[in-house]
Amino acid sequence: MKRILVGIKRVVDYNVRIRVKPDGSGVATDGVKMSINPFDEIALEEALRIKERGGAEEVLVATVGPADCQQQLRTALAMGADRALHVQADGVIEPLVVARALLKLIEREQPLLVIVGKQAIDDDNGQTGQALAALWNRPQATYASKLELSGTVARVTREVDAGLETLEVDLPAVISTDLRLNEPRYVKLPDIMKAKKKPLDTFTLEALGVTPRRQLKLVKFEPPPQRQKGIRVKDPAELVAALKKKGLL
Amino acid sequence: MSAKILIVAEHDGARLNASTAKCVSCARALEGAEIVVAVCAADAAAVAAQAAQLAGVSRVLTVENPANAHALAAVLAPQLVALAGPFTHVLGPSTTFGKDLMARVAGLLDVPQISDIMAIDGPSRFRRPIYAGNAILTVELAGEGKVVGTVRTASFEAAATGGSAPIEKATVNVELPTHTRFVSVSAAKTDRPDLQTARRVISGGRALGSAEGFKILYSLADKIGAAVGASRAAVDAGYAPNEMQVGQTGKIIAPELYMAVGISGAIQHLTGIKDARTIVAINKDSEAPIFEVADFGLVGDLFQIIPEIEKLV
Ligand SMILES: Cc1cc2nc3c(=O)[nH]c(=O)nc-3n(C[C@H](O)[C@H](O)[C@H](O)COP(=O)(O)OP(=O)(O)OC[C@H]3O[C@@H](n4cnc5c(N)ncnc54)[C@H](O)[C@@H]3O)c2cc1C
Ligand SMILES: Nc1ncnc2c1ncn2[C@@H]1O[C@H](COP(=O)(O)O)[C@@H](O)[C@H]1O
C-alpha cells in the first residue's frame, strides 16, 4: 500500500505569549494552549492532498511524546489522516531520539514518503527531518514550497536563501515543509466525531528498541534582553534628522 | 584537550559566503581552538583562497569533486563525516545551506546538534534562542563526544581578513549517493546589497498592497544603498519573493539600520530583527506592536511618508 507518514509535534500554540519561569527551569506551559506545530499541519495537508489526487492510499500521522499528544493526533485524524501512531515518551526528547523512533515506524510501515515540518516552533531545532533522512540513508528535500510526485521520483521546490531551488529525489524520501507549501484545511465538527473511531496505536520507545538518550543538559532558560523603548518622531523631517545625527543616513 | 573545530564553508562556487566568516568568529570564542575550514566544491581554488585569508583560520581543506558543483546535503554530508574524525566541533552557518546540511551530518555521526548558536560559553556550553527568540537556553553537552552546531550569523561579526592559512587538498573515500539531483535554482538578479549582510535594510509588509506598491521602497532603498526585505504576509501575498522574507522562518538579520514599513510587528517577524542596531517603524496604527521595539517610531500613511523621506535624504 502506498503510504505517507507525517511526523507531528505538540507545541505551544504560536499565538501564545511565551514566558520563562522565574526560576529559569523552563518555559511556562501550564494551562497554555497547545496545538499541532504549524509546519506539521502543512505536512499533513500536503499528504492529504497527495492522497486525494490518487498519489497515495493511506496517510499516517506519528508523534513521539507524552500521553497528552493524543489530542493532537486526534486533531490530525479529524483533518483526514487514516491512522495515528503514538510513541510514548516523557520529558525532553532529543531530535535524534525522535528520528530513531520514526525510523522504527518507517521500517514497520514502509512509507513511500515521509513529510515533517522544517522546524518545531518550540525548540526551533530544525533537525529531525534531516537526521531521519541520514539514519534511513534516503534523500531529503527540506523547506519545500512545492511538491510533485511522479512514479518513483519527487520534484521539490525549496525555499532557500538565494531564492527557489528545485531538486529531484528518488522515493522513498523525507520532505520538510515551509510555510508556503499549502494552506491547511479547517477541521469540521462531524470529522471530529469520526476521528474518535479511527485507529490510534500506541508504542513505547522500549518496545521499538529505541533508547531515550539525553545528550544535552538544559542548564537554564532566560528571557531575551529587552530593547529600550524608543521615541516617537512627528514627521519625516525629524526622522531623517535623527538618523543623520546617528550616522545612519 | 583543546578544541579542534571544523567549519563547513558556504559558497556559490566562486565566492565565499559572509556566513563562513561569522562561523569563524563564533569558533574564535573558544580560546586556543584550532580552526579548520572545509571547502567542498567542484573547483575549490577561488573559495579556498578567500577562506585562507580569514583571521584565526589555521588550515583550509579542499574536497574537490564534480558532484559538489551544487550544495546537496545528501552528497556533502558523507564527505564531511569523512573529514570530521579528528575534530571536536563541526560547525556550519544557520542559513538554509547550513541548516539543511549540518543536521544530516549530525545524524550520520550520531552526535547531538546545537542549532542557532548565539554564544559559546565553553567547549561544551552554548546559548541559543528558542520559542522564536522568546527564551534563551543555555545547553551543555552531557558527554565527552563530538558536537555539531549551526551558528546564528546575526550574533557574530565577520572575522577580519589578512590571514594566510595553508590550503591542503583532502581526499575522502566515500561513495556519494545519486538519489538526489539538482535541477535548477531561480534567484532574482539584483544590484541591491545582500539582505543578510546589508548595513541598511528597508522592509515592507502587507500594507504595501502589491508588488507595485513595493516600488516606493526599492526607490528609497536605492537612494540610500539599502537592501529590501519583507514580512511573511507580503511574501505570501506575492508582493515580494520568498528570499526577501525576514523573521523566524525567513532571514535573521542584524543591520545597523532597519526600517519596518507597514509591518505590524508580529513576534515571528521581530525574531528576525532583534539584533538590528537601530529600528525605525512607520505605521499608521499608533498601537502597532512594532513601536514597542522601535528606536524611532513615526505614525502615518507610508505612501506619503516614504516619498517624503526619499526627498530628504
Ligand atoms: C510558524 C509561523 C512562522 C512565521 N514566520 C514569519 C516570518 O519569518 N516573518 C514574518 O514577517 N512573519 C512570519 N509569520 C507571520 C506573522 O505572524 C505575521 O502574520 C506577519 O508578520 C504579518 O505581516 P505584516 O506585518 O506585513 O501584516 P499585518 O500584520 O497585516 O500588518 C500590516 C500593518 O500595516 C499597517 N498599515 C496598513 N496600511 C498602512 C499605511 N497606509 N501606512 C502605514 N501603515 C499601514 C497596519 O497598521 C498594520 O500594522 C509567521 C507565522 C507563523 C505562524
Ligand atoms: N516528538 C516528535 N514527534 C513527531 N514528530 C516530530 C517530533 N519532534 C519533531 N518532529 C517532526 O520534525 C519536525 C522538525 O522538528 P525539530 O527538528 O524538532 O525542529 C517537526 O516539524 C515534526 O514534523
Side-chain angles (χ1 to χ4, degrees):
Chain A
M1 178 133 70
K2 278 160 102 179
R3 295 196 173 105
I4 303 178
L5 178 74
V6 177
I8 67 171
K9 187 177 185 194
R10 168 187 165 95
V11 298
V12 173
D13 188 83
Y14 80 95
N15 275 315
V16 169
R17 232 177 214 291
I18 298 299
R19 274 180 313 108
V20 175
K21 291 184 192 163
D23 66 359
S25 65
V27 162
T29 51
D30 286 350
V32 154
K33 183 177 179 207
M34 303 296 285
S35 297
I36 299 178
N37 182 44
F39 293 98
D40 307 353
E41 272 190 339
I42 294 170
L44 175 54
E45 176 65 34
E46 196 65 18
L48 296 173
R49 290 187 191 183
I50 293 169
K51 183 185 159 194
E52 285 157 4
R53 284 199 300 265
E57 291 146 286
E58 193 182 33
V59 174
L60 307 181
V61 285
T63 197
V64 185
D68 292 344
C69 296
Q70 293 198 1
Q71 287 167 18
Q72 279 64 41
L73 287 176
R74 287 288 170 203
T75 306
L77 291 170
M79 269 179 77
D82 299 294
R83 196 146 60 84
L85 308 171
H86 177 208
V87 181
Q88 286 175 311
D90 289 312
V92 178
I93 311 149
E94 293 181 4
L96 270 176
V97 175
V98 175
R100 286 206 182 285
L102 293 177
L103 184 61
K104 292 292 181 188
L105 299 177
I106 287 171
E107 286 164 2
R108 297 169 67 104
E109 303 285 353
Q110 302 289 322
L112 160 87
L113 196 63
V114 175
I115 316 182
V116 297
K118 79 164 177 179
Q119 77 200 70
I121 60 162
D122 49 3
D123 298 331
D124 282 332
N125 278 319
Q127 300 172 17
T128 306
Q130 300 91 307
L132 173 61
L135 297 175
W136 191 17
N137 196 19
R138 291 305 306 164
Q140 70 190 44
T142 50
Y143 324 138
S145 65
K146 192 168 167 209
L147 171 58
E148 292 164 304
L149 300 187
S150 60
T152 57
V153 300
R155 193 175 261 252
V156 186
T157 302
R158 310 175 53 226
E159 293 205 2
V160 294
D161 290 339
L164 294 171
E165 182 188 75
T166 304
L167 296 184
E168 196 178 81
V169 296
D170 293 339
L171 298 174
V174 178
I175 310 291
S176 86
T177 60
D178 217 319
L179 290 169
R180 277 172 283 277
L181 182 59
N182 61 49
E183 252 186 68
R185 66 195 64 188
Y186 288 103
V187 175
K188 293 188 229 65
L189 211 54
D191 295 332
I192 297 175
M193 300 311 290
K194 263 191 265 168
K196 290 192 176 141
K197 297 203 196 79
K198 289 186 180 177
L200 189 161
D201 295 331
T202 58
F203 306 82
T204 60
L205 281 174
E206 292 67 33
L208 292 176
V210 178
T211 321
R213 225 171 8 152
R214 286 285 301 273
Q215 301 192 86
L216 299 174
K217 270 193 293 204
L218 310 185
V219 180
K220 65 175 173 202
F221 295 73
E222 291 164 289
Q226 292 301 314
R227 286 186 81 96
Q228 294 278 338
K229 206 170 156 70
I231 57 164
R232 292 284 168 103
V233 291
K234 64 178 189 308
D235 57 22
E238 192 186 339
L239 177 63
V240 169
L243 294 179
K244 281 188 174 157
K245 199 168 153 215
K246 290 191 96 181
L248 292 167
L249 283 179
Chain B
M1 188 184 62
S2 64
K4 285 173 73 102
I5 303 177
L6 182 67
I7 292 173
V8 184
E10 177 171 4
H11 62 86
D12 61 5
R15 294 174 56 87
L16 185 68
N17 190 290
S19 63
T20 306
K22 298 190 170 193
C23 291
V24 171
S25 291
C26 173
R28 291 188 82 180
L30 280 183
E31 239 169 274
E34 182 189 344
I35 301 173
V36 176
V37 176
V39 178
C40 299
D43 173 357
V47 174
Q50 294 159 49
Q53 288 176 14
L54 295 175
V57 172
S58 54
R59 230 157 16 109
V60 176
L61 292 176
T62 61
V63 185
E64 293 189 317
N65 190 322
N68 293 344
H70 299 287
L72 299 174
V75 171
L76 296 177
Q79 302 177 66
L80 293 163
V81 168
L83 294 180
F87 294 92
T88 54
H89 300 69
V90 184
L91 301 180
S94 201
T95 54
T96 53
F97 161 80
K99 289 192 278 198
D100 180 41
L101 172 61
M102 301 313 288
R104 187 164 182 118
V105 172
L108 291 178
L109 288 170
D110 193 20
V111 303
Q113 168 171 311
I114 316 289
S115 298
D116 303 319
I117 297 170
M118 57 188 287
I120 295 196
D121 297 332
S124 58
R125 196 176 164 111
F126 312 87
R127 268 177 284 158
R128 57 178 301 261
I130 56 174
Y131 286 93
N134 286 303
I136 308 296
L137 172 63
T138 302
V139 282
E140 214 167 68
L141 301 179
E144 285 289 293
K146 226 188 267 311
V147 64
V148 167
T150 60
V151 174
R152 185 175 181 276
T153 54
S155 298
F156 299 91
E157 299 283 333
T161 50
S164 58
I167 299 171
E168 296 166 19
K169 262 194 197 320
T171 36
V172 294
N173 270 318
V174 287
E175 211 183 311
L176 300 182
T178 54
H179 55 44
T180 305
R181 296 169 294 275
F182 173 84
V183 177
S184 63
V185 64
S186 70
K189 284 272 163 294
T190 167
D191 296 330
R192 286 186 197 100
D194 172 44
L195 183 55
Q196 267 158 317
T197 48
R199 289 181 53 224
R200 303 185 180 111
V201 173
I202 306 178
S203 284
R206 195 197 308 271
L208 274 297
S210 62
E212 192 62 28
F214 258 78
K215 285 194 180 153
I216 61 169
L217 298 189
Y218 296 129
S219 173
L220 173 59
D222 290 344
K223 196 151 175 207
I224 65 171
V228 179
S231 72
R232 174 189 170 191
V235 176
D236 282 359
Y239 308 162
N242 69 284
E243 64 267 24
M244 277 170 50
Q245 184 174 317
V246 172
Q248 181 187 19
T249 49
K251 288 177 175 144
I252 312 272
I253 57 175
E256 285 169 27
L257 173 63
Y258 186 78
M259 295 176 73
V261 182
I263 291 178
S264 59
I267 205 83
Q268 295 89 0
H269 188 79
L270 301 184
T271 308
I273 59 169
K274 286 218 160 93
D275 294 280
R277 200 83 55 80
T278 298
I279 296 176
V280 172
I282 297 169
N283 197 303
K284 71 175 186 192
D285 173 9
S286 67
E287 305 280 299
I290 188 75
F291 288 120
E292 280 163 39
V293 298
D295 300 280
F296 299 103
L298 178 52
V299 178
D301 180 4
L302 73 94
F303 293 102
Q304 283 172 5
I305 291 170
I306 297 298
E308 277 185 53
I309 293 177
E310 194 181 329
K311 273 189 232 136
L312 292 165
V313 294

